[in-house]
Amino acid sequence: MPTSLAGRLLWRWLAGGLLTLFVSGVVAQDASSTLSERYPAGSIATVEAAASAQQQAASEDARIEQAYAQEEQACGKAFFVNACRDKAKERRRAALEPVRRIRIEADTLMRRMRVVDRDKALADRQMERAAEAPGIEQNAQKKAQEIAQKQARNTEKEQQRVQNEQLHAQDAGQRTASSRTRQQRLQAGVAADAQKRADNVAAYDRKIREAQAHQRDLAARKAEKDRNRKAPPSPEPALATPASKP
């Protein structure tokens, strides 16, 4: 034991640090041992137990990590820092080992129960579908009939529409033909009227020309008569005397 004051202070400081490390490690290991005793291997058999074990394991992880952080901080004051930290890590690993075993067991059960629940839910849905199959079949047949009827109505409407369009086209064609005939008749009438007017004009011109020719002929005859009246009478020819006989 150091006799000087500095030696005694150093010894007390080292002893206090080591005591802190020892106490922290013991507390962490005791807590892990208590949790391991509470949940021995194979003891987690229900969803409730697994959920509780997961929660307690998480809490224990937090406590162990906190104790390790305190030990690592205290190791900074120790004389052999690296050796102190190595021992703290080893205590942390030893404390986490049973907690890890409990967490894995609880997680495994929870996954297995989820698979069971999923399979059960799938089986229930299959049973429900099997029970609902007749109704579903009837509904499907009813739906198919409704669709077929709707398609038939649509087809009938389409046929009616096509017939109406054809009738409308026929009516339009007939109206067009009638209009064309009326137009042709009108054009023929106009042409006939024009030809009649042309014929009338030609006949009128012919009558005018004939009247003018007749007037000219009458004038010529009158002039001839007038010339004949004004001309002196021609002498009568002398009677021939018989020739003397020899």
Side-chain angles (χ1 to χ4, degrees):
M1 172 101 34
T3 56
S4 64
L5 179 60
R8 288 196 298 272
L9 292 176
L10 178 61
W11 173 254
R12 290 178 182 178
W13 178 74
L14 292 174
L18 293 174
L19 180 60
T20 301
L21 294 176
F22 177 77
V23 171
S24 298
V26 170
V27 170
Q29 291 179 354
D30 289 344
S32 299
S33 300
T34 302
L35 186 62
S36 180
E37 293 174 358
R38 188 179 305 164
Y39 295 103
S43 62
I44 303 175
T46 63
V47 175
E48 292 77 8
S52 178
Q54 287 177 334
Q55 184 177 3
Q56 294 181 38
S59 299
E60 188 61 25
D61 276 343
R63 284 194 296 269
I64 293 173
E65 294 296 340
Q66 183 179 4
Y68 171 71
Q70 292 176 355
E71 287 188 59
E72 190 177 24
Q73 184 178 5
C75 285
K77 301 177 182 180
F79 186 76
F80 299 102
V81 177
N82 292 334
C84 178
R85 287 178 176 174
D86 290 339
K87 291 181 179 180
K89 289 179 181 179
E90 180 61 25
R91 283 190 291 271
R92 172 177 174 271
R93 185 198 63 76
L96 287 176
E97 185 63 28
V99 179
R100 179 175 177 274
R101 190 267 306 167
I102 295 171
R103 185 190 304 107
I104 292 174
E105 185 175 342
D107 293 344
T108 302
L109 178 66
M110 293 295 285
R111 285 194 298 270
R112 185 169 62 249
M113 294 306 297
R114 281 196 295 269
V115 172
V116 172
D117 292 340
R118 184 186 61 192
D119 293 342
K120 184 176 181 302
L122 180 61
D124 292 340
R125 285 197 298 271
Q126 291 177 349
M127 292 179 62
E128 291 176 358
R129 291 175 181 175
E132 295 173 355
I136 295 174
E137 182 65 22
Q138 292 178 358
N139 292 333
Q141 292 178 357
K142 183 179 179 181
K143 188 66 175 179
Q145 292 177 357
E146 292 176 354
I147 294 174
Q149 293 174 358
K150 184 177 181 179
Q151 291 177 348
R153 289 194 297 269
N154 293 336
T155 301
E156 184 178 358
K157 290 180 180 178
E158 183 64 18
Q159 292 176 351
Q160 186 66 34
R161 185 185 65 80
V162 173
Q163 292 177 359
N164 292 336
E165 289 181 354
Q166 292 176 351
L167 292 175
H168 181 71
Q170 292 177 359
D171 293 341
Q174 292 176 357
R175 288 194 298 271
T176 302
S178 299
S179 177
R180 188 180 298 112
T181 302
R182 287 194 299 271
Q183 186 68 21
Q184 291 175 354
R185 288 177 180 176
L186 179 60
Q187 292 176 355
V190 171
D193 292 341
Q195 185 62 40
K196 185 176 181 181
R197 288 192 298 271
D199 293 342
N200 292 335
V201 171
Y204 178 76
D205 291 341
R206 187 172 59 255
K207 289 180 179 181
I208 294 297
R209 288 193 300 272
E210 290 176 353
Q212 290 175 350
H214 182 66
Q215 290 294 332
R216 288 193 298 270
D217 186 51
L218 291 177
R221 289 179 182 179
K222 183 179 179 182
E224 181 67 25
K225 287 180 180 181
D226 290 341
R227 285 194 301 271
N228 290 335
R229 282 196 303 270
K230 294 178 179 180
S234 58
E236 294 181 359
L239 296 175
T241 61
S244 62
K245 292 180 181 184

